[in-house]
């Protein structure tokens, strides 16, 4: 029996995943993702601090020439304690295909086409953009829509700047933005002077389509997104740190580097100058079904990311002492945010502190078959709810808002 089949059989359709930590050389860790304080710079100062944990990822991180082997790729844990073996989730899905993610997704994408992450930066990021499929294809990549949700459990403080710039202020001209880009190497190119910032509130989220300029604030963020790591930085100075010019041209075809019109083409202008960004991009939680009925059954489940066709996400809360069976029509990854108990054959728990390289019982991947048959979850606490976040691929059949 292959290791992939052993993992599937051992978990009865639910795969246990190991934590996947990702550094970013241009970021300062916010230290809210439960990594041990001694381990945020465990990969060395030249790699930068670890400020991301990738979830259910079959997508390699794009971190330049120093990128580690398998960086960004989730691994499945197989075997009993002390005898664990690790297998890339990507390899397992390539072998078992629709048996894991369902034939609907496998037949169309031949892969798991999304991942989520915790993004945990102490300060804001530069105003930047993710390319759409058309522009990303020019460098052999896929476009990248993404979404944000700010888990209360990871946001006891908001960091240095809990506000996110979205889009371009109505009335701004293309010439003004192009001038900012041409001033990239002159210090502060002042591009956020032509944007608008929104305060970030725990328990809410935002939708960020490709082609939309955004400068994420310093809240610790749960980010479902399409399986791509394509981006370009359009702001030259943030939090008094200079952004290398190479990041302005990241994602640009080699024959167009130096062409500012190419950078302008990546911007979806109408999307960015929309005067109703709060109405069209903000996401408050939406109950999956009748709240009273869910509470009577011992749980509450909300849609938290629901504006994109490329992915969706839910937050599930199971009340203390309750046992529930939750059915979904699609495969999903999940991460524990609070509480402890069991899920199927597995123990689930929420660690307070994790060493780099340590295995946990807080992250799993649920196959489509197991999800549709129903996942039995028992909360062993008499006082603490179980809270988990669940990230789904494209075209979720349950999403009918």
């Amino acid at each position: 029996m292959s290791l992939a089949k052993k993992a599937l059989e051992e978990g009865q359709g639910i795969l246990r995943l190991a934590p996947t930590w990702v550094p970013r050389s241009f970021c300062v860790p916010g230290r809210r993702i439960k990594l041990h304080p001694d381990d945020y710079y465990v990969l060395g100062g030249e790699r930068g601090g670890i400020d991301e944990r990738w979830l259910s990822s079959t997508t390699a991180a794009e971190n330049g020439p120093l990128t580690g082997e398998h960086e960004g790729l989730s691994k499945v844990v197989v075997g009993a304690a002390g005898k664990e073996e690790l297998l890339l989730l990507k390899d397992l899905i390539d072998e078992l295909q629709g048996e894991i993610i369902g034939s609907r997704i496998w037949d169309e994408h031949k892969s798991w086409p999304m991942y989520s992450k915790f993004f945990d930066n102490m300060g804001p990021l530069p105003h930047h953009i993710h390319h759409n499929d058309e522009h990303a294809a020019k460098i052999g990549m896929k476009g990248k829509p993404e979404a944000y949700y700010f888990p209360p459990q990871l946001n006891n403080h908001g960091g240095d700047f809990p506000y996110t710039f979205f889009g371009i202020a109505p009335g701004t001209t293309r010439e003004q933005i192009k001038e900012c880009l041409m001033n990239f190497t002159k210090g502060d190119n002042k591009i956020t002077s032509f944007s608008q910032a929104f305060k970030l509130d725990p328990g809410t989220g935002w939708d960020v389509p490709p082609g939309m300029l955004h400068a994420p604030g310093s809240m610790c963020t749960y980010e479902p997104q399409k399986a791509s790591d394509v981006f370009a930085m359009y702001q030259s100075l943030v939090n008094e740190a200079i952004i290398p010019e190479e990041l302005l041209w990241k994602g640009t075809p080699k024959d167009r580097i130096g062409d500012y019109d190419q950078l302008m083409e990546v911007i979806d202008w109408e999307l960015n100058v929309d005067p109703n960004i709060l109405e069209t991009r903000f996401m408050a939680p939406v109950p999956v079904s009748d709240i009273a009925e869910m509470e009577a059954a011992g749980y509450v489940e909300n849609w938290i990311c629901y504006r994109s066709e490329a992915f969706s996400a839910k937050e599930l809360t199971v009340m203390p002492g309750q046992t529930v069976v939750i059915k979904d029509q699609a495969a999903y990854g999940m991460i524990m945010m609070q509480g402890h108990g069991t899920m199927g054959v597995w123990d689930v728990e929420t660690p307070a502190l994790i060493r780099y390289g340590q295995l946990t019982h807080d992250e799993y991947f649920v196959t489509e078959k197991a999800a549709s048959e129903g996942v039995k979850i028992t909360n062993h606490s008499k006082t603490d709810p179980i809270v988990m976040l669940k990230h789904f691929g494209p075209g979720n059949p349950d999403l009918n808002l």
Side-chain angles (χ1 to χ4, degrees):
M1 180 187 299
S2 71
L3 196 58
K5 290 183 177 179
K6 181 181 177 183
L8 183 62
E9 184 178 287
E10 180 179 279
Q12 295 182 17
I14 301 176
L15 307 170
R16 179 187 172 197
L17 302 182
T20 302
W21 307 104
V22 175
R24 294 294 198 189
S25 60
F26 50 82
C27 294
V28 176
R31 299 175 180 265
R32 290 165 294 194
I33 50 176
K34 303 179 181 178
L35 190 60
H36 190 282
D38 291 346
D39 292 350
Y40 280 101
Y41 290 90
V42 71
L43 297 175
E46 72 279 6
R47 296 300 321 279
I50 292 172
D51 70 340
E52 298 185 5
R53 179 178 173 182
W54 289 23
L55 309 167
S56 303
S57 171
T58 59
T59 303
E62 295 283 339
N63 270 339
L66 297 178
T67 305
E69 185 183 15
H70 301 152
E71 197 159 283
L73 296 173
S74 292
K75 295 179 180 178
V76 179
V77 182
V78 191
K83 299 181 180 179
E84 297 98 344
E85 297 180 80
L86 298 179
L87 171 68
L88 288 176
L89 177 63
K90 181 183 186 302
D91 291 346
L92 185 145
I93 290 173
D94 285 346
E95 178 181 337
L96 300 182
Q97 304 177 0
E99 206 173 343
I100 304 298
I101 61 176
S103 57
R104 176 181 62 86
I105 290 180
W106 176 261
D107 290 348
E108 181 175 351
H109 299 277
K110 296 294 188 286
S111 66
W112 177 240
M114 69 85 63
Y115 67 106
S116 192
K117 69 165 71 164
F118 290 136
F119 165 72
D120 173 41
N121 204 42
M122 184 62 76
L125 276 189
H127 218 30
H128 68 275
I129 201 163
H130 299 294
H131 305 63
N132 63 20
D133 283 336
E134 176 189 352
H135 286 290
K138 296 175 182 178
I139 58 166
M141 296 185 72
K142 297 176 181 177
K144 183 180 174 181
E146 64 185 20
Y148 306 153
Y149 176 72
F150 311 112
Q153 295 87 352
L154 299 183
N155 280 295
N156 59 308
H157 69 88
D160 292 343
F161 191 78
Y163 304 83
T164 289
F165 287 93
F166 286 108
I168 298 167
T172 303
T173 66
R174 286 178 166 84
E175 289 71 25
Q176 287 172 310
I177 297 300
K178 184 176 178 180
E179 184 179 1
C180 290
L181 299 178
M182 295 176 73
N183 288 336
F184 195 90
T185 59
K186 298 178 181 179
D188 184 0
N189 68 347
K190 301 181 180 179
I191 193 169
T192 52
S193 298
F194 301 99
S195 186
Q196 48 197 338
F198 297 84
K199 185 178 183 295
L200 306 179
D201 293 314
T204 68
W206 290 82
D207 179 58
V208 187
M212 184 173 184
L213 280 161
H214 56 291
S218 55
M219 279 274 181
C220 188
T221 307
Y222 169 76
E223 274 190 46
Q225 55 206 271
K226 193 170 177 178
S228 173
D229 200 20
V230 66
F231 68 89
M233 297 296 186
Y234 278 24
Q235 183 180 358
S236 60
L237 182 142
V238 64
N239 232 22
E240 302 309 315
I242 291 289
I243 308 304
E245 187 187 10
E246 66 193 57
L247 294 182
L248 172 66
W249 301 106
K250 187 174 171 64
T252 300
K254 289 183 178 179
D255 63 343
R256 298 288 303 269
I257 290 176
D259 182 350
Y260 293 94
D261 289 330
Q262 164 67 20
L263 299 179
M264 293 298 297
E265 288 171 17
V266 174
I267 300 173
D268 184 327
W269 192 260
E270 297 308 317
L271 179 70
N272 278 271
V273 298
D274 179 4
N276 300 311
I277 282 178
L278 184 65
E279 176 187 355
T280 57
R281 305 270 72 93
F282 177 73
M283 294 183 293
V286 177
V288 168
S289 58
D290 182 78
I291 294 178
E293 291 179 4
M294 290 192 288
E295 288 179 340
Y299 73 98
V300 172
E301 191 166 43
N302 291 315
W303 291 106
I304 55 173
C305 298
Y306 46 79
R307 292 190 184 275
S308 175
E309 296 179 357
F311 52 78
S312 56
K314 295 178 180 179
E315 178 187 66
L316 172 65
T317 301
V318 180
M319 306 308 180
Q322 296 294 314
T323 295
V324 300
V325 176
I326 305 295
K327 294 184 178 182
D328 290 281
Q329 295 185 68
Y332 60 90
M334 60 76 66
I335 180 72
M336 289 285 290
M337 301 305 302
Q338 188 174 343
H340 71 280
T342 57
M343 182 177 73
V345 299
W346 295 107
D347 291 328
V348 290
E349 60 191 15
T350 312
L353 200 62
I354 308 169
R355 294 303 307 241
Y356 185 85
Q358 177 185 339
L359 298 178
T360 58
H361 280 93
D362 66 341
E363 186 184 355
Y364 293 86
F365 191 93
V366 180
T367 63
E368 185 184 79
K369 183 172 185 287
S372 62
E373 290 176 351
V375 175
K376 183 179 179 181
I377 302 168
T378 298
N379 187 341
H380 288 166
S381 175
K382 296 179 181 178
T383 55
D384 201 21
I386 279 178
V387 181
M388 63 177 68
L389 303 180
K390 301 159 61 173
H391 25 279
F392 300 83
N396 190 335
D398 292 319
L399 183 56
N400 296 307
L401 299 181

